[in-house]
């Protein structure tokens, strides 16, 4: 993938700094992702940050094609992440378009990214993709102890989910007054920064 114009935008360096300063806190790897259901109602869940896609600003997440999140994103591909860091007392709200890279996605480079993300997962994380169907009636306990899946080739239901930011709201809760910045990406993929009241 080609580097995205405006990659060195201030929100990326602020987010990288927050991740670094909160690295000892396991929950610093998790953020909430809000989407919209087909009936217009909100849906929210906690996901794991899997890094950025190559030389882009796109956040990597994983999902299972069998769950509701997959269908929601196919129906309405916009979402917002809310990420709070307890050590530095910072919040990042990251709004953007979501892209699902499933087994049928036509882009070869994105399929390579899907495959490499699978290989980077822990054994326990991969195992969840061969558990019984998410959201259905509780299965027998033995069905949650299947043979380990292939560690190289992902199953068909494994999806890479990309959040491509168009707006970032960064709030620092320390200080009097607190600091807040809005970052917006225009049609030319250039980022602008505005300091706003908290």
């Amino acid at each position: 993938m080609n580097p995205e114009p405006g990659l060195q935008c201030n929100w990326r360096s602020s987010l990288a700094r927050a991740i670094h300063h909160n690295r000892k806190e396991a929950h610093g790897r998790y953020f909430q992702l809000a989407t919209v259901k087909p009936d217009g109602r909100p849906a929210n869940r906690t996901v794991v940050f899997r890094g950025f896609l190559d030389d882009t600003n796109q956040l990597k997440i994983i999902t299972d094609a069998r769950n509701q999140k997959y269908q929601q994103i196919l129906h309405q591909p916009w979402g917002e992440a809310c990420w709070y860091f307890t050590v530095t007392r910072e919040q990042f709200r990251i709004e953007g378009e979501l892209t699902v890279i499933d087994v049928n996605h036509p882009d070869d480079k994105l399929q390579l990214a899907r495959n490499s993300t699978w290989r980077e997962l822990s054994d326990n994380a991969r195992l969840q993709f061969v558990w019984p169907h998410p959201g259905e009636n509780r299965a027998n306990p033995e069905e949650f102890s299947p043979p380990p899946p292939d560690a190289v080739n992902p199953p068909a239901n494994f999806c890479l989910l990309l959040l491509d930011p168009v707006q970032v709201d960064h709030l620092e809760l320390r200080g009097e007054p607190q600091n807040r910045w809005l970052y917006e990406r225009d049609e030319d993929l250039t980022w602008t920064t505005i300091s706003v009241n908290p």
Side-chain angles (χ1 to χ4, degrees):
M1 303 215 92
N2 293 326
E4 185 176 333
L7 178 62
Q8 299 304 320
C9 51
N10 291 342
W11 72 265
R12 272 293 297 271
S13 57
S14 296
L15 179 59
R17 194 166 42 253
I19 291 170
H20 176 74
H21 288 304
N22 290 267
R23 67 190 181 280
K24 292 183 180 177
E25 302 294 327
H27 57 262
R29 298 176 40 232
Y30 302 98
F31 58 83
Q32 282 62 53
L33 178 65
T35 56
V36 180
K37 298 177 185 178
D39 63 4
R41 294 183 181 184
N44 200 357
R45 79 283 293 158
T46 301
V47 296
V48 180
F49 175 59
R50 302 288 176 180
F52 289 94
L53 177 67
D54 300 330
D55 296 323
T56 75
N57 289 320
Q58 296 179 61
L59 286 77
K60 295 194 305 182
I61 307 159
I62 61 171
T63 191
D64 191 320
R66 301 172 298 170
N67 72 29
Q68 292 178 345
K69 178 175 31 173
Y70 175 80
Q71 295 300 326
Q72 290 164 9
I73 293 165
L74 291 180
H75 171 77
Q76 205 289 82
W78 287 90
E80 184 175 81
C82 186
W83 203 343
Y84 182 69
F85 294 95
T86 57
V87 173
T88 53
R89 297 181 58 208
E90 293 175 85
Q91 175 181 269
F92 290 83
R93 290 174 50 211
I94 305 170
E95 178 187 334
E97 190 166 5
L98 293 159
T99 302
V100 177
I101 314 305
D102 61 15
V103 68
N104 297 313
H105 197 281
D107 189 304
D108 290 340
K109 288 182 180 178
L110 292 177
Q111 283 295 341
L112 287 174
R114 174 179 171 265
N115 291 342
S116 65
T117 302
W118 172 258
R119 290 191 293 272
E120 293 166 2
L121 296 180
S122 68
D123 291 340
N124 285 340
R126 284 194 291 262
L127 195 60
Q128 295 176 32
F129 287 88
V130 292
W131 279 357
H133 196 292
E136 291 188 352
N137 290 338
R138 184 73 177 193
N140 295 324
E142 60 271 12
E143 294 184 56
F144 289 94
S145 300
D150 187 326
V152 176
N153 300 302
N157 57 302
F158 173 75
C159 302
L160 174 62
L161 180 60
L162 302 174
L163 174 61
D164 189 14
V166 297
Q167 184 179 63
V168 177
D169 186 332
H170 176 205
L171 174 64
E172 289 182 339
L173 292 169
R174 288 199 279 198
E176 287 293 333
Q178 300 162 349
N179 295 307
R180 184 179 174 196
W181 298 270
L182 292 180
Y183 305 93
E184 293 189 348
R185 192 183 79 188
D186 64 21
E187 293 178 0
D188 297 324
L189 305 182
T190 301
W191 287 90
T192 58
T193 308
I194 306 170
S195 179
V196 298
N197 294 328

